[in-house]
Amino acid sequence: MTASDAVEEPGAGALKRPEELRSHQWYGTDGLRSFSHRARTRQLGYLPEEHLGKPVVAILNTWSDINPCHVHLRERAQAVKRGVWQAGGFPLEFPVSTLSETFQKPTPMLYRNLLAMETEELLRSYPVDGAVLMGGCDKTTPALLMGAASVDLPAVFLPAGPMLPGHWRDQVLGSGTDMWKYWDDKRAGLIGDCELAELESGLARSPGHCMTMGTASTLTAAAEALGVTVPGASSIPAVDSGHERMAAASGRLVVDLVRRDVRLSRILTREAYEDAVATVLALGGSTNAVIHLIAMAGRSGVRLTLDDFDRVARTVPVLANVRPGGRHLMEDFHFAGGLPAFLAQLTDLLNLDRPTVAHSTLREQLAGARVHDTDVIRGRENPLAEEGGVAVLRGNLCPDGAVIKHIAAEPELLRHTGPAVVFDDYRTMQRTLNDPGLGITADHVLVLRNAGPKGGPGMPEYGMLPIPDALLRQGVRDMVRISDARMSGTSYGACVLHIAPESYVGGPLALVRNGDLITLDVEARTLRLEVTDEELARRKADWTPPPARYGRGYGALYTEQITQADTGCDFAFLSREGDVPEPYAG
Ligand code: FES
């Protein structure tokens, strides 16, 4: 039996009676509306005895033709339905927006909160007793969980699973990570169009999300660590038959959760989020997880801060030898034991007595988990790095914080002072980066602004600014780069990200000038602009806010409501406390 097949038998506590189900308000009462709802369900092709009194399970499916990471989820929804029927539930599939990381512009991050809103309102407004949330491509995981946590129904998250490893000639390729690497090789003249065409065919071989420890793998692992998936689910390759079995298990599990009234609020506790933070850091996971976990925790009524990440990072070693921080890929991680085996290495740092959707305690869930490859999942005596993969920086350039994934940077750059070369926006940077007149050397600090939550908008993943061609040809592969943008979880380099407050709202990043000295000191956790407070005050007095980009529409709502990176980039009206009434279904 694999970890993903192992789900505890239903608990012995009092089970919900059919008339106690939320969906009973739609189907089971005596009034005209119930009569209409039953008639319309017959119109859907179901006899009353097929669904009345059964837990209604909404399957939220982020499948789309434009999302290669989720292109298999239409089939997987059938397996979820199978599981729901087997357990005596009534499955209903709902298509919801897809956030396709590669194709959606300016960035799917602009739409994370929109999918969260859709999830929340859809679950609330229909006769739903529980939900299976199908996602995996970067922002879909936090979006679905943020929305579901706000409604607080029983729910299981179904990770889309990583795609198969990429291949080119004798090389194994990792999503994103090797794309950046070989693109730089092309710019440096080391490979040509012929090699690039072969690489284009070999990088992404199957359905599934990126198979490095990018944002997708990090966030699905975080979901498993939170306790909202079938155990072992997050690393199952998308096209493995185990993925289909896990989908059916998710369907069975959620029916049991509905009957026992195990809502997300019982699972998504402060202890669960602390464990998710430890997991992400020990995985050497994506910096994007910092923003998403803070936002998810906010929807669960848990206040998570940047300081929580920095505190935990100092105590948690990096144990996952997976790219971009390590050598292997997600399929290796899965066969090395997956997340249960990984978490079993961290038990002294986890809250083992908290419940998960599948077990009464995390301790039970991890019992018997074993590592099968100690190079992929390292032991505590042989970590990849002594400290967690992300450091939180403070200083006069980032009074509300910034982050750096220092394990993916050249060590000699982690303490560095250099003159700034400032780009006011990404397009200007692309146009002028290779201008010899700028005189950029490897010691310079590349600065990008107006790429934050409001200024980007949506904090596009611009943070790994390209190295100028001339420096690439000299063999330079890393430089200090700073911005209010995010960075792909598959990226690497000495990139300071998420600077808050962002430049678009007048944060100190807006005041940097070409030639100013900037000092990064990761050990001291500081980022400083070597300019006096008086000079900064003078510059701030001269600063004028950029004009608003959106006159109307979702972009205008987004710009008005989005919070800064250090508080998770949720919408202010979604993250505040307040009651939302149940809809009247009579
Ligand atoms: Fe979907 Fe990377 S593009 S996870």
Side-chain angles (χ1 to χ4, degrees), residues 254-538:
V254 75
V255 174
D256 172 50
L257 295 174
V258 171
R259 291 215 169 99
R260 291 191 290 129
D261 199 23
V262 180
R263 296 162 187 256
L264 277 177
S265 55
R266 206 161 123 202
I267 309 297
L268 296 177
T269 57
R270 167 100 210 161
E271 290 74 23
Y273 281 104
E274 283 174 1
D275 290 351
V277 170
T279 302
V280 161
L281 293 166
L283 286 169
S286 164
T287 45
N288 284 320
V290 178
I291 293 176
H292 296 317
L293 279 174
I294 289 174
M296 291 158 66
R299 296 297 191 95
S300 303
V302 173
R303 189 170 177 273
L304 204 60
T305 66
L306 289 178
D307 292 334
D308 289 319
F309 281 85
D310 200 55
R311 175 177 49 79
V312 177
R314 292 172 192 262
T315 62
V316 172
V318 178
L319 301 180
N321 188 6
V322 179
R323 298 181 208 184
R327 196 158 68 82
H328 300 284
L329 294 174
M330 284 307 295
E331 189 176 36
D332 308 306
F333 184 79
H334 181 62
F335 289 114
L339 204 74
F342 182 79
L343 294 181
Q345 308 309 301
L346 300 169
T347 48
D348 56 315
L349 301 170
L350 301 175
N351 296 288
L352 294 174
D353 293 323
R354 64 182 173 89
T356 70
V357 290
H359 289 273
S360 320
T361 63
L362 179 63
R363 186 189 312 279
E364 284 174 28
Q365 183 158 314
L366 301 182
R370 280 183 43 223
V371 174
H372 305 297
D373 186 333
T374 53
D375 185 47
V376 180
I377 297 178
R378 298 290 183 88
R380 297 287 279 279
E381 70 293 346
N382 183 28
L384 215 66
E386 296 287 347
E387 278 193 4
V390 172
V392 174
L393 308 172
R394 306 267 180 188
N396 66 351
L397 247 182
C398 51
D400 293 337
V403 302
I404 183 169
K405 187 173 179 174
H406 53 302
I407 59 159
E410 290 297 330
E412 68 270 17
L413 291 174
L414 298 180
R415 188 166 187 191
H416 178 85
T417 299
V421 185
V422 184
F423 303 99
D424 276 326
D425 58 74
Y426 192 70
R427 278 191 228 183
T428 306
M429 183 278 300
Q430 283 180 310
R431 214 178 47 245
T432 59
L433 180 73
N434 289 311
D435 179 353
L438 293 179
I440 301 176
T441 69
D443 282 339
H444 276 88
V445 175
L446 303 180
V447 178
L448 175 69
R449 56 189 169 210
N450 294 315
K454 290 177 194 271
M459 297 181 80
E461 294 184 336
Y462 294 158
M464 188 175 75
L465 301 178
I467 309 284
D469 287 357
L471 294 180
L472 279 178
R473 282 194 290 272
Q474 293 167 25
V476 176
R477 283 294 190 271
D478 199 2
M479 292 174 68
V480 175
R481 294 159 265 183
I482 72 171
S483 73
D484 43 17
R486 295 176 301 112
M487 173 174 95
S488 164
T490 61
S491 298
Y492 46 83
C495 305
V496 177
L497 311 159
H498 309 182
I499 285 181
E502 64 179 309
S503 56
Y504 191 82
V505 299
L509 192 65
L511 311 178
V512 183
R513 293 181 180 168
N514 283 328
D516 286 348
L517 289 180
I518 291 174
T519 299
L520 167 68
D521 187 339
V522 172
E523 196 181 337
R525 300 294 201 260
T526 56
L527 179 69
R528 277 199 55 78
L529 182 63
E530 305 294 352
V531 170
T532 63
D533 292 347
E534 295 72 28
E535 172 61 15
L536 280 179
R538 269 194 295 276

Side-chain angles (χ1 to χ4, degrees), residues 67 69 101-102 136-138 209-210 216:
N67 195 336
C69 308
E101 190 62 32
T102 312
C137 186
D138 290 23
H209 63 67
C210 292

